[in-house]
């Protein structure tokens, strides 16, 4: 299977197919085309012609075994639900391709991040089906788990897939190799920024149960002697639609926090869109989130957020997995990366009443 053959199947140019497979930042005309390209590459077990690439690059490195890698997305049931994880997946897909490996499966199974659903489900049966599917694709050398995963489910995944690495904001507590951007620290950076602007009535929107970002929010308020008001915490699924509903709920209740920390960007974007619809109410809270997805700069006001280094997270995840597969290490490795505050326009001093560029 060549790039030219994939291009014929999906109805795109070979140049477009090559850009999609090699560059996670490349934007297709439509997301659907990009998905068709990767779906075809997965179905056909596409891998680059290593000999041709080495010749082109003048690289005489020894040929490595071709590894078959699967990916489990635990925070969503389908693509595009959470852009951060979609963007992280793009990085990992390209890294798998660039390391001459085969991406054999991408599973979207949100039940793995839900403790209650895990208790209700036949995890052994689900994991057996996944492994059988991976074996049908060729073989199964390793698994990358993207997102939070129930601890018991993770142990079962390790027993079945053997070589597993986690990419996450919540630590696995050394159950597996992991690349972590600590959600507790991310939340602390975000809430500290709001407090530095004079805000004390600070709300939280996102997951709460066993969620490091919620713990970070609580702990940061406590360090500054700020009481946590129960009405300021909304536990919700982290989607744009849920963010919109949360803001609508606040507007209807008349309970107006001066600032909001959203656990992820797409929820914050939903809240900003709701505020745009109801802007005649003149309620414009400071809103901060975490991730720094592409849409964060396209919304108005542009979203202040804590950037997670998704390029490095994806690259190091595959590096750890391949090193374990090839016998480079046996002990569990935890690699922690730092988030970075990105100040834009959605947060203002508590004494101000409007954003600097309120226009969506």
């Amino acid at each position: 299977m060549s790039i030219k053959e994939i291009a014929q199947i999906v109805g795109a140019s070979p140049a477009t197919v090559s850009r999609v497979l090699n560059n996670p930042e490349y934007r297709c005309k439509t997301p659907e085309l990009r998905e068709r390209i990767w779906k075809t590459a997965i179905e056909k077990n596409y891998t680059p012609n290593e000999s041709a690439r080495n010749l082109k690059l003048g690289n005489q490195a020894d040929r490595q075994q071709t590894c078959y890698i699967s990916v489990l997305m635990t925070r969503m049931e389908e693509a595009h639900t959470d852009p951060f994880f979609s963007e992280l997946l793009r990085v990992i897909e390209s890294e798998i391709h660039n390391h001459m490996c085969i991406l054999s499966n991408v599973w979207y199974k949100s039940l793995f991040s839900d403790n209650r659903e895990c208790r209700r489900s036949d995890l052994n049966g689900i994991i057996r089906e996944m492994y059988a599917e991976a074996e049908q694709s060729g073989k199964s050398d390793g698994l990358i788990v993207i997102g939070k995963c129930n601890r018991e489910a993770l142990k079962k995944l390790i027993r079945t897939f053997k070589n597993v690495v986690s990419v996450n904001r919540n630590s696995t507590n050394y159950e597996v190799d992991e690349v972590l951007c600590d959600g507790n620290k991310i939340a602390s950076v975000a809430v500290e920024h709001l407090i530095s602007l004079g805000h004390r009535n600070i709300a939280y929107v996102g997951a709460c149960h066993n969620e490091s970002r919620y713990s970070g929010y609580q702990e940061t308020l406590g360090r500054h002697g700020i009481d946590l008001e129960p009405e300021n915490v909304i536990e919700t699924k982290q989607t744009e639609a849920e963010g919109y509903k949360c803001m609508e709920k606040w507007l209807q209740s008349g309970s107006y926090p001066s600032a909001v920390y959203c656990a992820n960007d797409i929820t914050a974007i939903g809240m900003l869109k709701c505020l745009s619809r109801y802007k005649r109410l003149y309620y414009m809270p400071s809103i901060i989130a975490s991730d720094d997805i592409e849409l964060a700069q396209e919304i108005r006001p542009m979203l202040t957020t804590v950037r997670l280094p998704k390029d490095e997270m994806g690259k190091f995840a595959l590096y750890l997995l391949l090193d374990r597969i090839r016998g480079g290490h046996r002990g569990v490795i935890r690699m922690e990366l730092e988030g970075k505050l990105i100040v834009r326009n959605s947060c203002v001093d508590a004494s101000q009443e409007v954003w600097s560029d309120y226009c969506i």
Side-chain angles (χ1 to χ4, degrees), residues 2 7 21 27 43-44 50 78 86 94 102 104 162 168 196 201 231 236 240 245 265 267 317-318 325 332:
S2 67
L21 295 177
R27 291 194 182 188
E43 289 175 349
K44 303 299 182 181
E50 184 177 8
E78 57 186 13
S86 298
S94 294
I102 292 175
S104 53
K162 310 301 182 188
N168 201 356
S196 75
N201 186 12
E231 63 270 19
T236 183
E240 181 179 318
K245 290 179 184 176
D265 285 354
T267 306
L318 186 62
I325 290 170
V332 175

Side-chain angles (χ1 to χ4, degrees), residues 315-331:
K315 290 176 182 178
F316 286 131
L318 186 62
Y319 171 81
L320 284 177
L321 184 60
L322 292 179
D323 192 62
R324 178 170 287 278
I325 290 170
R326 292 164 179 163
H329 72 280
R330 293 184 179 180

Side-chain angles (χ1 to χ4, degrees), residues 24-25 27 31 34-35 73 75-76 78-91 108 146 169 238-241 264-270 273 290-298 303 308 310-311:
E25 302 299 325
R27 291 194 182 188
R34 185 183 181 284
E35 287 175 19
M73 309 288 286
R75 284 287 198 175
M76 48 192 190
E78 57 186 13
H80 312 306
T81 307
D82 187 329
F84 171 74
F85 288 114
S86 298
E87 292 170 16
L88 180 55
L89 175 62
R90 289 209 307 255
V91 173
Y108 294 88
I146 302 180
R169 307 184 194 95
Q238 294 164 186
T239 66
E240 181 179 318
N264 68 347
D265 285 354
I266 197 62
T267 306
I269 286 170
K273 288 185 176 182
S290 51
D291 287 345
D292 196 29
I293 61 175
E294 293 168 2
L295 286 173
Q297 297 184 70
E298 297 173 6
L303 181 64
L308 275 64
K310 56 180 177 289
D311 288 349

Side-chain angles (χ1 to χ4, degrees), residues 164-184:
V164 180
V165 63
S166 167
V167 192
N168 201 356
R169 307 184 194 95
N170 296 272
S171 176
T172 66
N173 293 318
Y174 294 96
E175 292 287 348
V176 295
D177 290 342
E178 64 180 357
V179 179
L180 176 72
C181 195
D182 191 338
N184 191 294

Side-chain angles (χ1 to χ4, degrees), residues 337-352:
L337 303 174
E338 293 294 317
K340 180 182 179 181
L341 177 67
I342 305 298
V343 178
R344 298 196 180 104
N345 307 100
S346 65
C347 294
V348 297
D349 192 274
S351 62
Q352 294 178 242

Side-chain angles (χ1 to χ4, degrees), residues 181-192:
C181 195
D182 191 338
N184 191 294
K185 295 178 182 177
I186 293 166
S188 179
V189 170
V191 178
E192 287 283 0

Side-chain angles (χ1 to χ4, degrees), residues 20 34 44 47-48 53 78 94-95 132 141 156 161 163 174 210 214 217 235 267 324 336 342 344-345 360:
V20 167
R34 185 183 181 284
K44 303 299 182 181
T47 187
R53 174 173 288 193
E78 57 186 13
S94 294
E95 284 299 308
D141 293 305
K156 294 177 186 295
F161 284 89
N163 302 307
Y174 294 96
N210 288 334
Y214 180 55
Y217 160 78
E235 182 166 19
T267 306
R324 178 170 287 278
E336 184 173 340
I342 305 298
R344 298 196 180 104
N345 307 100
I360 296 180

Side-chain angles (χ1 to χ4, degrees), residues 5-184:
E5 290 171 311
I6 294 174
Q8 291 174 343
I9 292 171
V10 301
S13 70
T16 296
V17 173
S18 179
R19 291 187 190 106
V20 167
L21 295 177
N22 287 288
N23 182 8
E25 302 299 325
Y26 178 70
R27 291 194 182 188
C28 284
K29 291 181 179 179
T30 64
E32 290 75 19
L33 175 58
R34 185 183 181 284
E35 287 175 19
R36 288 205 307 275
I37 290 171
W38 270 109
K39 183 178 180 182
T40 303
I42 292 171
E43 289 175 349
K44 303 299 182 181
N45 277 348
Y46 172 76
T47 187
N49 186 320
E50 184 177 8
S51 299
R53 174 173 288 193
N54 285 341
L55 182 64
K56 183 177 179 181
L57 297 176
N59 182 3
Q60 300 301 319
D62 292 337
R63 185 182 181 90
Q64 294 271 20
Q65 74 175 90
T66 298
C67 294
Y68 287 69
I69 309 298
S70 295
V71 175
L72 171 61
M73 309 288 286
T74 67
R75 284 287 198 175
M76 48 192 190
E77 284 297 330
E78 57 186 13
H80 312 306
T81 307
D82 187 329
F84 171 74
F85 288 114
S86 298
E87 292 170 16
L88 180 55
L89 175 62
R90 289 209 307 255
V91 173
I92 289 174
E93 286 173 336
S94 294
E95 284 299 308
I96 289 172
H97 174 267
N98 291 335
H99 280 77
M100 315 299 170
C101 297
I102 292 175
L103 176 60
S104 53
N105 295 278
V106 178
W107 295 296
Y108 294 88
K109 296 185 181 292
S110 63
L111 72 91
F112 280 94
S113 64
D114 188 320
N115 292 337
R116 188 175 300 171
E117 282 298 313
C118 282
R119 287 194 294 270
R120 295 173 178 171
S121 302
D122 177 14
L123 289 176
N124 289 322
I126 293 169
I127 293 171
R128 279 197 302 270
E129 289 178 7
M130 290 167 57
Y131 189 77
E133 188 178 339
E135 289 285 294
Q136 287 173 4
S137 301
K139 58 179 181 175
S140 178
D141 293 305
L143 174 70
I144 298 177
V145 180
I146 302 180
K148 183 179 178 180
C149 189
N150 170 270
R151 190 170 183 178
E152 290 305 312
L154 188 59
K155 289 179 179 179
K156 294 177 186 295
L157 287 167
I158 298 166
R159 286 197 290 270
T160 302
F161 284 89
K162 310 301 182 188
N163 302 307
V164 180
V165 63
S166 167
V167 192
N168 201 356
R169 307 184 194 95
N170 296 272
S171 176
T172 66
N173 293 318
Y174 294 96
E175 292 287 348
V176 295
D177 290 342
E178 64 180 357
V179 179
L180 176 72
C181 195
D182 191 338
N184 191 294

